[in-house]
Amino acid sequence: MLIMPPTVSVIIPAHNSAKTLGACLEAVRRQRQPVTEVIVVDDASTDDTRAIARRFGCRLLVTGRNAGPAAARNRGIRASTGELLFFLDSDCAPEPDALENALAILRDEPDVACVHGIYALEPLIDDGPVEAYRLLHGHYWRLRNVGRVRTTLFAVCLIRREVFTSVGLFDENLRASEDVELGDRMGDRYGIVLTDTVVCRHDDDSRLGALLRKQFHRSQLLIPVALAERGPAGIRANSPVALVAATLVPATLPLAPLVGGWPAASLLLLALFVVAEPGLLRFVLHRRGPAYAVFFFAVHLLVQLAVVTGAVVGGLRHLADRDFGPTRVTTAKTPR
């Protein structure tokens, strides 16, 4: 009996993605596994994103206002026809075997409904040491969590359409952590695999100020989403011990005058922060050497402080306004 290969729709949400969208679409074109259609959802871009999508002959959907990645992905889902949906961020270029390898996992493990992959260490576009920090850290924590997981990450992800029919679409109330929230809704009904056989090159933040602002804003949804989680916690990119140590480093600086002006407590906490994840320390030293490791952990400290600050602000916002967070929490409020 002839078994037809599954139909695959590629869905790419894009907002001001002119820098990377061409490389992303070229990588889709080079996939060994054929795709049925490529849908680019332009989320109200003001650059040449739409022109690039048209040049590649994609199906182009355009939103009237910038509504965020959840809304853009949902529009792509509704417009798509494939049995399987291959999601890519517009700043990611999957390796030629990425889709083929993801499909093999779905074929070999029938209970698995979602396969997502990792970032390569090599950037899509090399923009300097801050981007190298992001890729090193992003590669490390994904690699550390390879296997069966409870979290979905949609930078490069293949998922069965039936999942959305069963658990619903992305929560458009969320502009960050929307993929994490979806994975929690999948719960124990659908297997989720994070694999190092599905790899994409990623163009990440290259300016420190922009990176810290993004981390601050995105982390504001960490607490609201965590409070809505029904099952065990999923993948965590950062060590709780490192987060606490990072928070206490500046908090203990006022103690310096009490010990002759020497910030002993802060230095001890800084040392704890660096060794809190020995695997990460070894990984950075092995990949880039001691000199870069000093830079890496200096940036990492600032990022962790931005994450903690954002999480605290987001938690307070959620307390003051229950509409700030996942819809399944806000719609469950007691009527006034």
Side-chain angles (χ1 to χ4, degrees):
M1 182 177 67
L2 179 65
I3 300 177
M4 298 298 292
T7 53
V8 179
S9 297
V10 180
I11 300 175
I12 305 171
H15 174 69
N16 289 342
S17 303
K19 177 183 176 184
T20 59
L21 183 59
C24 174
L25 292 172
E26 184 61 38
V28 171
R29 181 181 286 174
R30 293 178 180 174
Q31 290 300 298
R32 295 175 188 166
Q33 174 68 36
V35 302
T36 308
E37 60 185 348
V38 180
I39 299 173
V40 173
V41 185
D42 179 70
D43 194 18
S45 294
T46 57
D47 63 2
D48 293 331
T49 294
R50 291 189 290 276
I52 294 170
R54 292 190 183 101
R55 190 164 70 240
F56 277 83
C58 305
R59 183 178 178 187
L60 177 64
L61 307 177
V62 181
T63 64
R65 64 179 182 85
N66 178 241
R73 291 193 187 110
N74 285 346
R75 185 164 183 188
I77 293 167
R78 294 187 186 101
S80 64
T81 61
E83 303 163 68
L84 302 176
L85 306 179
F86 188 43
F87 288 90
L88 290 172
D89 283 353
S90 60
D91 55 6
C92 290
E95 294 297 321
D97 61 354
L99 178 56
E100 181 182 60
N101 291 341
L103 189 59
I105 293 174
L106 290 185
R107 184 181 59 244
D108 296 341
E109 302 183 47
D111 66 312
V112 172
C114 177
V115 178
H116 54 106
I118 68 173
Y119 290 159
L121 286 171
E122 299 77 23
L124 181 58
I125 301 169
D126 191 348
D127 291 318
V130 171
E131 182 180 40
Y133 155 78
R134 288 289 289 161
L135 291 174
L136 274 172
H137 186 237
H139 181 89
Y140 169 79
W141 66 258
R142 285 173 175 83
L143 197 61
R144 184 188 62 195
N145 287 284
V146 159
R148 293 283 183 126
V149 294
R150 290 184 58 91
T151 300
T152 54
L153 302 169
F154 273 72
V156 53
C157 175
L158 182 66
I159 189 167
R160 302 186 193 275
R161 175 181 291 279
E162 67 189 68
V163 171
F164 297 104
T165 304
S166 175
V167 307
L169 302 181
F170 289 96
D171 186 347
E172 296 185 15
N173 209 39
L174 300 175
R175 281 181 171 260
S177 299
E178 73 286 342
D179 45 0
V180 175
E181 191 273 339
L182 177 72
D184 183 65
R185 267 188 281 143
M186 291 173 65
D188 297 322
R189 285 186 286 174
Y190 297 100
I192 304 169
V193 168
L194 172 60
T195 176
D196 58 356
T197 67
V198 175
V199 180
C200 70
R201 289 181 298 131
H202 182 228
D203 185 58
D204 219 313
D205 298 295
S206 60
R207 292 177 298 160
L208 182 59
L211 168 61
L212 297 178
R213 286 191 296 273
K214 181 184 287 188
Q215 292 301 303
F216 171 76
H217 288 296
R218 285 185 173 180
S219 63
Q220 290 185 38
L221 283 162
L222 290 176
I223 290 177
V225 169
L227 291 174
E229 287 180 338
R230 297 165 178 161
I235 295 172
R236 294 291 182 258
N238 299 298
S239 159
V241 174
L243 284 170
V244 172
T247 304
L248 293 176
V249 168
T252 54
L253 285 175
L255 298 177
L258 302 179
V259 288
W262 185 250
S266 297
L267 290 173
L268 287 172
L269 287 163
L270 180 61
L272 175 61
F273 168 73
V274 172
V275 302
E277 287 188 87
L280 177 60
L281 176 59
R282 289 193 298 269
F283 181 77
V284 176
L285 287 171
H286 173 71
R287 290 288 177 176
R288 297 296 293 262
Y292 186 83
V294 173
F295 173 83
F296 178 97
F297 281 99
V299 175
H300 196 45
L301 176 65
L302 294 175
V303 169
Q304 303 309 290
L305 290 172
V307 168
V308 171
T309 305
V312 171
V313 170
L316 293 174
R317 288 182 66 182
H318 185 62
L319 287 175
D321 178 10
R322 293 300 298 277
D323 287 333
F324 182 75
T327 302
R328 60 180 155 140
V329 173
T330 62
T331 56
K333 296 184 294 185
T334 303
R336 296 176 181 174

